[in-house]
Amino acid sequence: MSVDSGEKWESAAMSTKEDQRASRGQRYSYAQWLSITTRWKDNDVYGHVNNVEFYSYFDTAVNAMLIERGLLDPQSSPVIGLVVETGCRYFAPISFPETIDAGVRVAKLGSSSVRYEIGLFKAGEQEAVAEGHFVHVYVDRAGRRPTPLPAELRGFLATLVKDAA
């Protein structure tokens, strides 16, 4: 690799980072909320919450919301959501002990799938410290084959459809 091509790559990487930072999610663009308290074990040796824990927060926010509304019983629901895609963008660190607000919205509602988007916010802050997504494909529990979303679940998820703005 020549010096020139290395500089071009570095420049492209920097502009991508700047674009991502400029597009930090705002609190108003999420529809449903859950407060999550960080735990001692969430911090890593660098003194902030480790990246892998953010995925746990995303999962907690979505599944707690569904369980709370009686739309998911992890032990017996005949239709369950399996994660087939996930991603996260990190903007600022969080640490124990902090309580964060997890905002949830639905970006896409298919016949048997849902794209959830989750923003994590420090208390009182309007810009996300991290934003992630995951796609659930809903399947029948026994056969693990895709199945249409149950009407009650679809109805609730439709209320969470919101543009990223």
Side-chain angles (χ1 to χ4, degrees), residues 2 8 12 28 31 40 53 58-59 75 79 93 95 103-104 109-110 112-113 118 124 128 141-143 146 149 163 165:
S2 72
K8 288 177 188 173
Y28 65 81
W40 174 259
E53 299 301 332
F58 299 157
D59 222 12
Q75 303 304 313
V79 174
S95 299
V104 177
L109 188 55
S112 63
S113 65
I118 304 95
R141 179 184 294 272
L149 295 167
D163 289 332

Side-chain angles (χ1 to χ4, degrees), residues 1-47:
M1 174 189 304
S2 72
V3 174
D4 271 346
S5 64
E7 288 172 1
K8 288 177 188 173
W9 180 86
E10 197 171 291
S11 175
M14 287 179 168
S15 69
T16 300
K17 286 179 185 175
E18 289 167 5
D19 293 344
Q20 288 177 348
R21 299 237 185 259
S23 65
R24 271 172 88 164
Q26 300 294 309
R27 193 176 276 271
Y28 65 81
S29 66
Y30 290 90
Q32 188 70 40
W33 294 91
L34 175 72
S35 290
I36 299 173
T37 303
T38 59
R39 302 160 301 176
W40 174 259
K41 76 165 203 78
D42 295 350
N43 277 9
D44 62 19
V45 297
Y46 303 116

Side-chain angles (χ1 to χ4, degrees), residues 3 21-22 42 61 89-90 98 100 109-110 140-141 153 159:
V3 174
R21 299 237 185 259
D42 295 350
R89 293 185 306 153
Y90 305 94
E98 284 188 81
I100 55 172
L109 188 55
D140 66 281
R141 179 184 294 272
L153 176 60
T159 70

Side-chain angles (χ1 to χ4, degrees), residues 1-157:
M1 174 189 304
S2 72
V3 174
D4 271 346
S5 64
E7 288 172 1
K8 288 177 188 173
W9 180 86
E10 197 171 291
S11 175
M14 287 179 168
S15 69
T16 300
K17 286 179 185 175
E18 289 167 5
D19 293 344
Q20 288 177 348
R21 299 237 185 259
S23 65
R24 271 172 88 164
Q26 300 294 309
R27 193 176 276 271
Y28 65 81
S29 66
Y30 290 90
Q32 188 70 40
W33 294 91
L34 175 72
S35 290
I36 299 173
T37 303
T38 59
R39 302 160 301 176
W40 174 259
K41 76 165 203 78
D42 295 350
N43 277 9
D44 62 19
V45 297
Y46 303 116
H48 63 264
V49 170
N50 187 271
N51 62 314
V52 72
E53 299 301 332
F54 286 72
Y55 287 92
S56 177
Y57 301 155
F58 299 157
D59 222 12
T60 296
V62 169
N63 287 299
M65 171 185 72
L66 297 177
I67 291 167
E68 182 179 288
R69 281 168 185 69
L71 299 168
L72 171 66
D73 180 333
Q75 303 304 313
S76 65
S77 289
V79 174
I80 57 174
L82 300 180
V83 174
V84 298
E85 177 185 313
T86 187
C88 182
R89 293 185 306 153
Y90 305 94
F91 303 110
I94 54 176
S95 299
F96 175 83
E98 284 188 81
T99 299
I100 55 172
D101 298 325
V104 177
R105 66 179 173 232
V106 169
K108 185 175 182 195
L109 188 55
S111 61
S112 63
S113 65
V114 179
R115 179 185 166 104
Y116 295 101
E117 294 181 342
I118 304 95
L120 301 180
F121 297 80
K122 289 185 179 186
E125 291 191 8
Q126 297 305 306
E127 290 187 323
V129 297
E131 287 188 292
H133 75 274
F134 64 87
V135 175
H136 264 165
V137 171
Y138 282 83
V139 300
D140 66 281
R141 179 184 294 272
R144 300 287 204 250
R145 300 296 308 154
T147 190
L149 295 167
E152 191 176 358
L153 176 60
R154 173 176 285 291
F156 172 68
L157 295 176

